[in-house]
Amino acid sequence: MKACIRSVYGSADVLQVRDVESPTPAGDEVLVQVRASSNDRGVWHMMTGFPLVVRPVIGLRAPKVQVLGRAFAGVVTAVGSAVTRFSPGDQVFGTTNAGSWAEYTVAPERLLAPLPPEVSFEQGATVGCSGTTALQAVRSGGVRAGQRVMVIGAGGGVGSFAVQLAALRSAGVTAVCGASKHDLVTSLGADEVVDYTREEVDARGPRYDVIVDCAGNRPLSLLRKALVPGGTLVSVGGEDHPGRLMQGFQWQLVRPIAGVFVRRRVRSVVAREGGEDLVELGRLMAAGELTPAIPRTYSLAEAPECMRYLAEGHPAGKVVIAIS
Ligand SMILES: NC(=O)c1ccc[n+]([C@@H]2O[C@H](COP(=O)([O-])OP(=O)(O)OC[C@H]3O[C@@H](n4cnc5c(N)ncnc54)[C@H](OP(=O)(O)O)[C@@H]3O)[C@@H](O)[C@H]2O)c1
């Protein structure tokens, strides 16, 4: 089968699209013909091997799994002996640890959900990582009707889902993003847009009940000034932090503790993939209440280009790789 692989850590230049052996499903796994996959920062971390703290899991000197990619959608072609929920021919979506930028992949059934017929493979492929993270972030913030919610990094992968999910709960949504994403975030349900290159997030005073921070590059002291007393900051992540060991992962651990000192609730999200949340996101997409933002689609041969676009740091919505 054709797959996008790398045998060493590095930039998008280490990626190669070539023929490799198809995987075989273990007892609890499903073999899936991948129809579409997507890209996100997690995949970029696996490509670069940074921060170093992830190396014990993904491979100390070289990647344990050569095929890149996590979230995907496709058609089941075979199932392991212990699989109970899926049969060949079923359309599924979710994530895999075996690499999804390939014509075939395997995944444990707990990481998959049935793809509703109303949802395209491209749409389904965007949800496994970013949609799940956004749902858990909005839930963790306790977002409810009538609240004012700020989503920082609103035009990116997680943010574009978080804007929609907060608006679905009848909250007023302020999207923080670069000017080029104004129309995108408005179309997703934001009723107010802050262009962070012109205005800082605290410029309008303490008016947000919940902040979902997907950019992660502002100090807690600044974010605090935008929250109402008793408000909640949900920390999702961020890039561009110095240091090879943690590259900002430490803030996910430290921020909730630091919240005590600034007298605001601070929650860090560590996304749990698969399970009921995937089913819930499928139901919302099927009902037309959640529509993944997919401004760009690449072919498998263009996977290195797709990664370069993401690595620039300003991707719009979800970047999809159409496989077959
Ligand atoms: N905790 C978890 O379990 C979990 C799960 C998934 C992802 N994450 C992390 O969460 C972060 C966001 O993920 P993602 O997939 O949404 O990334 P993404 O698709 O790369 O989007 C990031 C967005 O942030 C915007 N941005 C960049 N600098 C900004 C700034 N100074 N202020 C406001 N916005 C800025 C970018 O576009 P513009 O500048 O053009 O607006 C971009 O749209 C990443 O660090 C990722 O690793 C964590």
Side-chain angles (χ1 to χ4, degrees), residues 123-306:
Q123 291 174 325
T126 63
V127 171
C129 299
S130 305
T132 304
T133 305
L135 179 61
Q136 290 168 13
V138 167
R139 189 188 291 143
S140 171
V143 172
R144 57 180 191 276
Q147 288 189 321
R148 179 134 289 277
V149 177
M150 170 180 271
V151 179
I152 304 178
V158 178
S160 60
F161 281 112
V163 168
Q164 294 187 70
L165 291 166
L168 256 180
R169 284 167 164 71
S170 302
V173 181
T174 300
V176 179
C177 56
S180 66
K181 308 224 169 79
H182 188 289
D183 291 349
L184 172 69
V185 295
T186 304
S187 74
L188 298 175
D191 57 17
E192 196 175 78
V193 183
V194 170
D195 172 359
Y196 69 84
T197 64
R198 292 173 172 267
E199 185 185 331
E200 202 28 285
V201 299
D202 64 335
R204 301 178 191 193
R207 57 191 294 262
Y208 299 98
D209 299 290
V210 180
I211 296 178
V212 177
D213 184 12
C214 305
N217 47 12
R218 289 174 177 79
L220 201 51
S221 54
L222 189 150
L223 296 172
R224 176 191 189 277
K225 290 189 211 156
L227 279 171
V228 299
T232 304
L233 169 68
V234 183
S235 185
V236 174
E239 305 297 328
D240 303 329
H241 294 280
R244 290 153 56 92
L245 181 63
M246 299 287 272
Q247 282 185 340
F249 274 30
Q250 69 271 32
W251 298 119
Q252 285 294 100
L253 309 173
V254 168
R255 271 182 158 187
I257 300 164
V260 174
F261 298 102
V262 297
R263 296 194 306 279
R264 296 291 183 275
R265 233 186 330 258
V266 181
R267 305 246 160 91
S268 280
V269 174
V270 179
R272 293 170 311 282
E273 292 169 2
E276 280 307 305
D277 285 350
L278 212 46
V279 176
E280 165 75 359
L281 291 162
R283 191 188 63 71
L284 292 173
M285 288 191 290
E289 293 175 346
L290 181 72
T291 306
I294 310 178
R296 286 192 185 211
T297 302
Y298 295 81
S299 67
L300 185 57
E302 294 170 323
E305 204 41 54
C306 170

